[in-house]
């Protein structure tokens, strides 16, 4: 293909961001908005704990997939949504993106921030990141990209810069948490299956019940409250044994868990206010406390990688607090579910 290829402009690409989210949630949110969906209502519906030992990768967009290879389907398990990781051909990588755009699909492209002039890490730090490509102009030598992560950018990028970033080996140098894995021309081909069903109290209650069931699950994955306890025990043991690699992994892994808890909590709190249900709003606040409890765990892991044994006590304290925050939030959700079923939480 030659010339200009751009997604139809009748649907605007908007930025959406929250303090706890990564590029995974922010890029997907832009796709949801473009389809007329509420990103909070979609991204905040599911809440779980899932840790897959040996699977954690140093990428900002890492997520422990319940559906093998389907990142978006794992992130939105209650929606008709899915995704496939694809690799662009070496001969002409842009063809894959042009084909997606011609089919009215916005590709989410993996990149190395080191090669992107609009990122603060430009020519300084290598790190794996995601952006949306929504237009390609071979004549001008530019692509149009969207990145909601601060400082946020929406506009042209030289094709040469995209290709450098998109095919980077992403070497591990100064940055320990999101570098060391090749980018290799990867891009995420997303199918949203919209429109989504309305988020009624009944539908939210069904999702909350399914979330609770997953936390009670005793399946093969390291998941639910049992998996959370195992994760904490392993992390503290690794610190006491001086295992830097395992301690270090808690930082990128914890970001996804933290982001999901923050969005689920915000959704419950928002709907609690909208539906005049203070019990639901309180449950949301409790889930948001889980997100905040992830912060010291991740920070201790980040600092602790240099001298894990010195941080073992802090990690033991913080992971125990994280488990308590989960237990308190789940108890609050059980109470809130009863109000959704019988309407007792509504005022007036």
């Amino acid at each position: 293909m030659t010339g200009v290829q751009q997604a139809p402009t009748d649907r605007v690409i908007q930025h959406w961001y929250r303090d706890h989210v990564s590029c995974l949630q922010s890029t997907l949110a832009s796709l949801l908005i473009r389809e007329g969906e509420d990103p909070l209502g979609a991204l905040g519906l599911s809440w779980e704990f899932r840790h897959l030992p040996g699977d954690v990768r140093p990428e900002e967009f890492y997520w422990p997939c319940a559906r093998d290879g389907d990142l978006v389907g794992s992130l939105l398990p209650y929606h008709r949504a899915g995704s496939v990781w694809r690799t662009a051909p070496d001969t002409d990588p842009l063809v894959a993106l042009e084909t997606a755009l011609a089919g009215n699909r916005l590709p989410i492209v993996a990149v190395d921030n080191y090669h992107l002039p609009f990122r603060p890490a430009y020519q300084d730090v290598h790190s794996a990141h995601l952006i949306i490509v929504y237009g390609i102009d071979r004549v001008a030598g530019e692509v149009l990209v969207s990145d909601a992560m601060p400082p946020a950018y929406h506009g042209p990028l030289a094709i040469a810069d995209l290709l450098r970033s998109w095919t980077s080996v992403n070497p591990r140098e100064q940055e320990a948490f999101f570098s060391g894995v090749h980018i290799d021309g990867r891009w995420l081909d997303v199918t949203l299956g919209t429109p989504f069903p309305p988020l009624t109290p009944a539908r939210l209650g069904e999702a909350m019940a399914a979330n609770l069931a997953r936390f009670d699950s005793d399946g093969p994955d390291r998941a639910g409250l049992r998996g959370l306890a195992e994760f904490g025990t392993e992390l503290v043991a690794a610190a006491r044994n001086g295992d830097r690699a395992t301690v270090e992994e808690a930082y990128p892994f914890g970001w996804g868990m933290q982001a999901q808890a923050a969005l689920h909590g915000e959704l419950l709190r928002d709907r609690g206010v909208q539906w005049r249900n203070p019990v639901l709003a309180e449950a949301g606040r409790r889930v948001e406390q889980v997100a905040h409890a992830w912060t010291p765990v991740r920070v201790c892991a980040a600092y602790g990688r240099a001298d894990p044994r010195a941080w073992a006590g802090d990690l033991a304290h913080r992971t125990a607090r994280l488990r308590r925050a989960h237990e308190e939030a789940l108890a609050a959700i059980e109470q809130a579910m009863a109000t959704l079923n019988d309407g007792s939480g509504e005022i007036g």
Side-chain angles (χ1 to χ4, degrees):
M1 298 183 184
T2 60
V4 179
Q5 182 64 57
Q6 184 169 339
T9 56
D10 57 328
R11 288 179 290 177
V12 178
I13 300 171
Q14 297 180 20
H15 286 167
W16 188 89
Y17 173 75
R18 295 294 190 272
D19 284 342
H20 287 105
V21 306
S22 75
C23 57
L24 173 59
Q25 291 83 18
S26 67
T27 51
L28 187 53
S30 290
L31 269 60
L32 287 163
I33 292 171
R34 184 171 179 263
E35 296 296 329
E37 298 296 335
D38 169 25
L40 179 62
L43 292 168
L45 194 55
S46 175
W47 182 40
E48 65 178 324
F49 177 86
R50 185 179 305 277
H51 177 243
L52 306 176
D55 182 64
V56 181
R57 294 177 298 281
E59 298 169 329
E60 183 181 329
F61 46 87
Y62 170 74
W63 182 262
C65 291
R67 303 179 187 177
D68 189 28
D70 185 353
L71 181 57
V72 172
S74 298
L75 200 63
L76 304 177
Y78 306 135
H79 298 87
R80 294 176 298 135
S83 64
V84 177
W85 278 111
R86 304 195 188 280
T87 302
D90 294 333
T91 51
D92 190 351
L94 293 180
V95 168
L97 304 187
E98 288 170 326
T99 301
L101 292 172
N104 195 28
R105 304 192 319 279
L106 291 181
I108 296 178
V109 178
V111 289
D112 178 357
N113 281 328
Y114 183 89
H115 300 288
L116 297 178
F118 56 84
R119 294 301 305 170
Y122 179 57
Q123 297 294 301
D124 182 28
V125 176
H126 293 277
S127 62
H129 184 55
L130 295 176
I131 60 174
I132 296 170
V133 172
Y134 64 94
I136 300 174
D137 188 341
R138 290 184 184 251
V139 175
E142 293 179 337
V143 293
L144 297 175
V145 301
S146 177
D147 183 359
M149 294 297 286
Y153 180 76
H154 192 97
L157 171 70
I159 288 176
D161 288 331
L162 174 69
L163 294 179
R164 275 190 289 269
S165 185
W166 192 22
T167 59
S168 171
V169 297
N170 190 27
R172 176 166 173 159
E173 294 176 352
Q174 316 97 308
E175 212 283 332
F177 306 109
F178 306 117
S179 61
V181 174
H182 293 194
I183 304 299
D184 283 341
R186 285 177 288 156
W187 64 283
L188 199 59
D189 194 354
V190 178
T191 303
L192 288 177
T194 52
F196 295 156
L199 187 55
T200 61
R203 186 158 184 265
L204 178 58
E206 290 172 359
M208 291 164 66
N211 293 340
L212 283 178
R214 285 190 291 172
F215 271 104
D216 287 337
S217 172
D218 200 24
D221 290 342
R222 181 177 284 179
L225 286 177
R226 174 187 55 80
L228 177 64
E230 291 176 0
F231 165 76
T233 299
E234 179 189 69
L235 183 59
V236 173
R240 289 172 176 158
N241 293 330
D243 180 355
R244 292 181 56 179
T246 299
V247 171
E248 186 178 286
E249 278 188 354
Y251 187 85
F253 164 72
W255 197 352
M257 297 295 101
Q258 183 175 37
Q260 188 180 55
L263 293 177
H264 187 60
E266 182 184 348
L267 176 64
L268 299 189
R269 183 169 48 79
D270 177 83
R271 293 305 187 269
V273 172
Q274 180 180 330
W275 297 335
R276 305 181 70 184
N277 184 331
V279 183
L280 182 62
E282 173 62 15
R285 191 182 70 84
R286 292 285 184 173
V287 180
E288 287 177 313
Q289 288 180 336
V290 171
H292 292 301
W294 269 109
T295 296
V297 173
R298 296 181 64 218
V299 170
C300 286
Y303 281 100
R305 57 181 289 272
D307 186 3
R309 291 184 176 89
W311 287 82
D314 290 289
L315 284 168
H317 171 67
R318 296 302 181 179
T319 53
R321 179 66 191 92
L322 180 65
R323 289 197 301 274
R324 288 196 299 272
H326 274 81
E327 291 164 357
E328 292 165 2
L330 291 168
I333 284 175
E334 283 194 271
Q335 291 182 329
M337 283 174 53
T339 69
L340 290 175
N341 291 331
D342 63 17
S344 61
E346 186 174 350
I347 299 176

